[in-house]
Amino acid sequence: MTTTLAPATRGRDRAATARRTVSTSETVSQTMTMAWRSLKNMRRQPEQFFDVVLQPLIFTAMFAYIFGGAVSGSVEDYLPLMIPGIVAQTVLTTCMVTGTKLREDMEKGVFDRFKSLPMARIAPLAGPMVADLSRYTIASVLTFATGILMGYRPGGGFTGVTAAILLSIFTGWALAWIFTWIGTIARSAQAVQGISMLILFPLTFLSNAFVPVDTLPSWLAAFVRVNPVSHLVTAARDLANHGTVSSAVFWTLLAGVIVIAIFAPLSVSSYKRRHV
Amino acid sequence: MTITALDRPGGPSPAGTDLAVMADGLVKTFGEQRAVDGVDLAVRPGEIFGVLGPNGAGKTTMLRMLATLLKIDGGHAEIFGVDVAREPHVIRQLVGVTGQYASVDEILTARENLWLFGRLQGIASKRARRIAEDLLAQFGLQDAADKPIAHFSGGMRRRLDLAASLITRPPLIFLDEPTTGLDPRTRGQMWETIRGLVADGCTVLLTTQYLDEADQLADRIAVIDHGRKVAEGTPDELKTAVGDSTLQLLLSDPDSVPAAAAVVRRILGSDPVLSPELGRLNVALEQADLAADVLIALRDSGVSIASMNVAKPSLDEVFLALTGHGTEEEENR
Ligand SMILES: Nc1ncnc2c1ncn2[C@@H]1O[C@H](COP(=O)(O)OP(=O)(O)OP(=O)(O)O)[C@@H](O)[C@H]1O
Ligand SMILES: [Mg+2]
């Protein structure tokens, strides 16, 4: 561009040739660029990985030795029941961090620029979530690895375990949209954390993650049976321990898709409403 | 002396679609407060238009509405003929925004920042890298290109922020207080850069709290206060209203103020501005040379002076001259 157009012509030409909407391929490319930004951030602040590294190690060991004897008679017998539960729990906790980090990030000046650029409104939300796939992967792989070190021998073999991990990552990513939405509506990062805890605890503990459902009183069992986390745990157990694709896999995937279909548009619209 | 002519005398107002920015009765309310209260703007292509106003006048709010960063609560705005409220996505392709506070990523380096913003605007990776390189050179940031922004000085941050607004060479640039907090040398460099943008065919809408900045840079100025436009004109038109400089006098005897005022009226034909401080008065001068005439006349009349000073008129004096009231502090005395 060597010629200098007259200011009025330049403005009018630009207005005439401007894109009216964001295409899908632009949206994907912008999301990946935002994911690159998040990964750079993570690499420069590796302490962001503390939770996904330490939680699987500590929780696996702690839960196994505390509940193992009481629930299953021994630690080794408890591991096949517990490991998929811990995976679900760590992935959910990681989701919560997604929402909190987004809220913190949105306070920064750079978000003003993202808002002033002609980019898809979903990219600043989805980008960090794509980068967070690395966190879900670390959390679930480490949990299985810790379990195996403690004597867990998954019957589903490598394929079964890999499938269980992939399913957990997908579910984590889907549920993260709930927390992203909370991130776009809450007033502060602390508020996101507070609200998320309120959702997280019933979801993880009122599930079959750590205890068999038939030991529960019937009113509680009713909730536990419809809890999507229970489906994830059941599906992951069936995959990892037996290598079977049970109907729970289907329910988990369906729940994930429903959550995305509801909370992704909600997040984008509340991001837009608050900031434009 | 109030400037009421909202259109430059002589020049016919250009048709709506030929304007770079056309705002008609813009309103923004925050709860009860009308932060922007019916502002009209007409920015012509190729000019630097300055919006001058004290803290809290509504400058940032107005700019953010025009940049699609805030919802427009009332009125209508067009940029190069495109409706701001209806086509925000198009507006975002026409305007480069440099906000009052730097909006670059603290964790990335300068080079990474420019590349990121280029990629987000659909520029291929290689080309984005080359544009980043060119901008770093243009803004004298090569040496700091690979340092995290967290270690940047205020001036460097501002320059990077402006560079980031120029990646796609948008035809219109918004600059919100581009030199607030910069030292005089950096400030002068920023002025040069802004003039360079216009030479390249950009149109610039900037806000400032400094009369001298508006005077130095802007082709036309709108003065806003409490969300309303109180005056508009060329810097010369505004200065005629305010005077080129101000003679600040402190009298030895506060009781001699009326006598001094009479002398000023006789010499200059206009009234001095009485300051809240006892025995102090400010005299607007069309030229600094007139100060001598006033001082001699005062001595001849036997009015004794404790101290004197000739200065550029402050924003407060502009307001006093234009609106008959001062800025907030002055008003609350
Ligand atoms: N998000 C907001 N919520 C509530 N009030 C606001 C908000 N933003 C601005 N205001 C109010 O609107 C008025 C105008 O603010 P604005 O920031 O536009 O002023 P300004 O002219 O840019 O001032 P400054 O020179 O200090 O930057 C102020 O009284 C401010 O308190
Ligand atoms: Mg401001």
Side-chain angles (χ1 to χ4, degrees), chain A residues 4 7 10-11 14-15 18-20 22 30 37 40-41 44 109 112-113 115-118 121 275-276, chain B residues 45-46 64 68-69 80 87 89 92-94 97 103 105 107 112 116-117 120-121 161 165 168-169 200-201:
Chain A
T4 302
R10 187 166 162 189
R14 232 1 137 80
R19 300 177 300 277
R20 307 278 134 173
V22 195
Q30 288 159 0
R37 166 181 179 263
K40 270 271 178 240
N41 279 359
R44 297 208 170 133
D112 253 2
R113 187 168 297 281
K115 284 173 232 149
S116 77
L117 294 182
R121 272 21 208 165
H275 301 285
V276 171
Chain B
R64 289 179 70 88
T68 76
L69 293 172
F80 291 113
E87 299 205 73
H89 188 64
R92 290 176 192 134
Q93 292 166 68
L94 300 177
V97 186
S103 46
D105 198 327
I107 292 170
E112 288 166 345
L116 173 81
F117 298 130
L120 289 176
Q121 292 176 90
D161 209 21
S165 314
T168 58
R169 295 174 36 98
D200 279 350

Side-chain angles (χ1 to χ4, degrees), chain B residues 59-61 100-101 176-177 207:
Chain B
K59 304 183 294 293
T60 299
T61 307
Q100 187 166 359
Y101 307 101
D176 197 359
E177 302 197 14
T207 73

